[in-house]
Amino acid sequence: MMADRKDWLDFARDAQSGTEAVQARFHAHAYDPHFHDQVLVGVTLQGVQQFRCRRAIHRSTPGRVILMEPGETHDGEAVIEDGFTYAMLYFAPDWLRQAGADYLGRSDAPQILAFRETLNDDAALGQAIVTACSRMLRREGRMAREAALDAVLPHLLRRAGETDASQAAHAAPRIASRARDIIEARYDSDLGLEELASQTGTDRFRLTRAFKAAYGIAPHAYLVQRRLNRARQLLARGEAPAEVAAATGFADQSHLGRWFRRAFGMTPADYRRRCTDLPDAVIA
């Protein structure tokens, strides 16, 4: 059977941060030489991705991380018949500098835009990039996107030699408690991490640390669990999965289904049927 040789590209942009996400597959020539004003961090997912940058030819294989500074000219092409697939984040430099300073609890911008190498094998950074791309491309909620983008920062800061002096700061139970109350009241809305931090009088990084210290999970994870438990209640009453997804803040029925299966080991429709004995034909 011949491999699927169709090229494709998926794109999304986060309006709050200006970050762009791309996932694409190419089988031959991908891009002519060009550069971006953004910071590029990406991962090769499949195949061999060859490109020229910094006067050298680089070949990236699955799992390898690609790092490019603003203004670095590069191209792209496949060098094997099956092509290559990659995921890439494009960060606005100003946002990245400010986010890095906030994360470190500093007033000055950290050295986060300079990379010593173009390719590396930082598996943790690669996974953070893939997660952020996935959440953006799936158009998940604001808090999911913001949390995933923020999770890339410590890896970039560490590679730049910046230390996280604020990790030792004391947790703030009052902030965590206030944030939990807001999530409980607004779990069905598209609540953002930045908005939640503003309402608790702090920044999103201190909020996340305080929340983890108090409850053992990040605000977004708590939000998802609150939505899932409310969804269980509605499904057990016989409400249709599509209606439950809309009522509990999930993007759509498939979004609810992915999280529900991960948490409870069954689909929303299966859970509804087991609770209500409604026939399959009735289940949306």
Side-chain angles (χ1 to χ4, degrees), residues 18-153:
T19 305
E20 297 172 352
V22 166
Q23 186 165 326
R25 185 174 185 186
F26 293 99
H27 290 84
H29 176 76
Y31 302 110
D32 288 339
H34 65 287
F35 66 85
H36 300 266
D37 291 331
Q38 300 143 305
V39 177
L40 277 60
V41 296
V43 183
T44 301
L45 303 175
Q46 168 270 328
V48 181
Q49 182 175 1
Q50 178 171 290
F51 60 96
R52 294 164 180 81
C53 185
R54 297 187 179 183
R55 300 183 180 181
I57 296 176
H58 305 274
R59 286 192 172 187
S60 181
T61 50
R64 301 212 76 191
V65 175
I66 301 168
L67 302 169
M68 293 185 188
E69 301 172 17
E72 290 196 319
T73 300
H74 60 282
D75 58 9
E77 62 183 343
V79 292
I80 62 173
E81 183 179 358
D82 199 32
F84 68 91
T85 308
Y86 72 96
M88 185 77 71
L89 294 172
Y90 300 74
F91 285 110
D94 288 346
W95 181 87
L96 199 57
R97 290 190 191 95
Q98 185 60 58
D102 290 344
Y103 181 86
L104 295 170
R106 287 167 29 182
S107 59
D108 61 310
Q111 296 296 319
I112 196 172
L113 307 185
F115 302 123
R116 288 186 289 271
E117 70 273 323
T118 303
L119 283 178
N120 68 64
D121 298 298
D122 188 334
L125 171 56
Q127 185 56 57
I129 294 169
V130 170
T131 298
C133 279
S134 177
R135 288 186 180 178
M136 288 184 62
L137 293 171
R138 287 178 175 176
R139 278 68 175 177
E140 294 195 15
R142 286 171 57 195
M143 192 180 296
R145 298 194 309 270
E146 290 169 351
L149 291 174
D150 286 348
V152 178
L153 284 172

Side-chain angles (χ1 to χ4, degrees), residues 149-202:
L149 291 174
D150 286 348
V152 178
L153 284 172
H155 302 290
L156 295 180
L157 290 165
R158 186 175 63 251
R159 298 204 66 82
E162 297 284 357
T163 57
D164 182 10
S166 60
Q167 285 285 13
H170 294 294
R174 181 189 59 80
I175 290 174
S177 176
R178 173 60 178 151
R180 186 180 64 171
D181 289 345
I182 294 171
I183 292 173
E184 292 284 351
R186 296 185 52 194
Y187 70 89
D188 56 348
S189 69
D190 192 16
L191 179 64
L193 194 59
E194 192 73 50
E195 179 185 0
L196 186 62
S198 176
Q199 292 188 22
T200 55
T202 187

